[in-house]
């Protein structure tokens, strides 16, 4: 069951920085955007490992920051085992830590566990970490196959969760 996440509305704190690296988890946020936009989660012939609704969100966030004069990039993951950010390998975390030194802030698109993963990986840098999405609950979903080889997700129920810090 993936988390249902909504993007944070107010990102005004980020425009105080000269540079921001967007770090997207590609599992729960992508499923959440597909469900909320009622769009396919997977389109086999258009981008097997990318969800169009989520890619649009990332693109918009990046564009909004660039318009405000903030140098912005996206930390890319090309291998399947790197898509679920909260289960990154030590090597992947080290790569992020090395790259993060070139940025003032990091915008993490994912749940509280992803933010904690990033914070733990960056103990040696002075980068500020911001959570770009808020967990609304756990989704119970039903996958649906649609022609021409699309997989969509239908929200069956949403179970609220709370996090203690």
């Amino acid at each position: 069951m993936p988390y249902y996440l909504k993007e944070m509305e107010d990102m005004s704190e980020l425009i105080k920085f000269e540079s921001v690296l967007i770090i997207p988890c590609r599992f729960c946020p992508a499923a959440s955007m597909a469900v909320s936009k009622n769009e396919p989660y997977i389109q086999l012939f258009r981008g097997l490992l990318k969800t169009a609704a989520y890619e649009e969100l990332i693109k918009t966030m990046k564009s909004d920051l660039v318009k405000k004069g903030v140098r912005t990039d996206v930390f890319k993951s090309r291998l399947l085992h790197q898509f679920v950010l909260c289960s990154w390998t030590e090597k992947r975390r080290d790569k992020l830590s090395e790259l993060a030194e070139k940025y003032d802030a990091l915008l993490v698109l994912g749940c509280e566990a992803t933010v904690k993963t990033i914070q733990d990986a960056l103990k040696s840098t002075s980068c500020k970490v911001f959570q770009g999405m808020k967990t609304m609950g756990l989704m119970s979903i039903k996958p649906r196959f649609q022609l021409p080889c699309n997989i969509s997700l239908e929200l069956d129920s949403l179970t609220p969760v709370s996090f203690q810090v």
Side-chain angles (χ1 to χ4, degrees):
M1 283 207 268
Y3 284 121
Y4 182 71
L5 305 164
K6 290 192 75 153
E7 68 271 16
M8 297 285 208
E9 299 285 324
D10 183 22
M11 294 287 162
S12 59
E13 277 191 75
L14 291 172
I15 62 172
K16 298 174 188 172
F17 297 97
E18 289 183 25
S19 58
V20 173
L21 180 63
I22 299 171
I23 306 166
C25 177
R26 301 265 176 205
F27 183 59
C28 295
S32 299
M33 293 308 298
V35 166
S36 70
K37 302 284 185 191
N38 198 28
E39 293 182 14
Y41 176 60
I42 297 172
Q43 295 175 297
L44 292 177
F45 298 121
R46 291 193 64 205
L48 176 61
L49 298 175
K50 292 191 177 187
T51 301
Y54 187 44
E55 294 304 314
E56 188 60 35
L57 173 67
I58 295 168
K59 182 179 169 184
T60 299
M61 288 180 157
K62 182 178 178 184
S63 174
D64 289 349
L65 287 168
V66 168
K67 286 178 188 173
K68 306 267 189 198
V70 180
R71 180 175 59 88
T72 310
D73 284 312
V74 177
F75 189 70
K76 297 195 177 3
S77 296
R78 288 179 171 66
L79 301 175
L80 190 57
H81 73 282
Q82 298 171 350
F83 275 44
V84 182
L85 197 153
C86 62
S87 63
W88 273 0
T89 63
E90 199 64 39
K91 186 174 180 177
R92 190 72 181 151
R93 294 171 197 219
D94 290 345
K95 179 150 178 92
L96 173 65
S97 183
E98 181 182 307
L99 185 61
E101 292 178 15
K102 299 176 184 175
Y103 294 88
D104 301 320
L106 303 178
L107 176 60
V108 181
L109 300 182
C111 68
E112 288 73 8
T114 62
V115 172
K116 178 76 169 109
T117 298
I118 297 304
Q119 289 171 333
D120 289 348
L122 300 177
K123 289 183 179 176
S124 64
T125 68
S126 61
C127 242
K128 297 279 186 189
V129 178
F130 293 88
Q131 185 169 357
M133 301 187 93
K134 181 179 180 181
T135 302
M136 306 305 290
L138 281 169
M139 291 189 287
S140 177
I141 52 176
K142 295 178 186 171
R144 301 278 185 227
F145 181 78
Q146 301 168 320
L147 293 175
C149 297
N150 293 341
I151 298 173
S152 293
L153 305 173
E154 180 183 316
L155 183 63
D156 190 42
S157 66
L158 184 63
T159 305
V161 294
S162 63
F163 292 91
Q164 295 178 353
V165 182

